[in-house]
Amino acid sequence: DAKTTQPTSMDCAEGRAANLPCNHSTISGNEYVYWYRQIHSQGPQYIIHGLKNNETNEMASLIITEDRKSSTLILPHATLRDTAVYYCIVKGGTSYGKLTFGQGTILTVHP
Amino acid sequence: DAGVIQSPRHEVTEMGQEVTLRCKPISGHNSLFWYRQTMMRGLELLIYFNNNVPIDDSGMPEDRFSAKMPNASFSTLKIQPSEPRDSAVYFCASGNGRAGDTQYFGPGTRLTVL
């Protein structure tokens, strides 16, 4: 699976959009970009995933660049409860769905 | 939907004792994953089952660890004998195992080996 690079930490004001970047320059054509988050002491929570097109659900939007080498997770109106570690994961190909977690981005939403 | 269920949520045991962690995957999912999380190593995959058959156990640390999935609705992860370095949070996740499929995680079992 392709390796991902994320900033170690980010801050965001409550009510503002949080934009979390991820680089995955070695992604291959059949690999998906997944985002999970982990709130303290809880299990990882699925947020969103995409292959080529931008995706939106009730939690977030995922913007994937045309060359698919990077993506951005957007939380449109961050709340204090969105404070968590956010993981960008590339999954697919022959990896049978295995998730390889990196260090992620610690997002802190402050009042 | 109850989600992935794990038990116990917390386990404290003494070195040398046998520990059994349990997982009930989401109904209809045919893949089950056991992960371990520590501060030093982060989240790492231990073993993966597909249709109740172990497919990849390369992440299992050593022979003290074993996992079984006797049916589609139950799996166990056993550590015998346990050691202090096994202290971690153990997560179970289930999904359908396809490349574009989503895995759903349970709440985890926090294991402390004294």
Side-chain angles (χ1 to χ4, degrees), chain A residues 2-62:
Chain A
K3 179 181 171 60
T4 62
T5 303
Q6 300 178 251
T8 301
S9 63
M10 295 183 65
D11 289 329
C12 179
E14 189 176 22
R16 305 298 293 268
N19 297 278
L20 290 85
C22 179
N23 287 322
H24 30 79
S25 59
T26 61
I27 193 170
S28 59
N30 60 354
E31 290 182 314
Y32 290 78
V33 178
Y34 272 77
W35 285 84
Y36 279 77
R37 73 180 182 184
Q38 189 173 23
I39 297 170
H40 182 61
S41 297
Q42 298 183 19
Q45 177 189 23
Y46 165 78
I47 301 173
I48 198 167
H49 75 284
L51 184 62
K52 295 181 180 179
N53 300 320
N54 298 336
E55 302 288 344
T56 296
N57 63 20
E58 65 278 5
M59 289 183 67
S61 294
L62 174 60

Side-chain angles (χ1 to χ4, degrees), chain B residues 12-63:
Chain B
V12 179
T13 190
E14 293 188 346
M15 182 174 61
Q17 296 298 306
E18 178 180 295
V19 175
T20 300
L21 311 182
R22 297 172 176 79
C23 175
K24 177 179 171 55
I26 293 173
S27 177
H29 284 178
N30 64 0
S31 295
L32 185 139
F33 305 79
W34 281 100
Y35 291 84
R36 178 173 69 173
Q37 186 171 34
T38 61
M39 288 294 292
M40 292 295 293
R41 300 175 65 90
L43 263 164
E44 51 184 349
L45 178 68
L46 299 178
I47 188 169
Y48 156 64
F49 290 87
N50 189 51
N51 293 322
N52 312 337
V53 176
I55 303 299
D56 182 0
D57 65 353
S58 60
M60 296 286 264
E62 49 198 274
D63 292 343

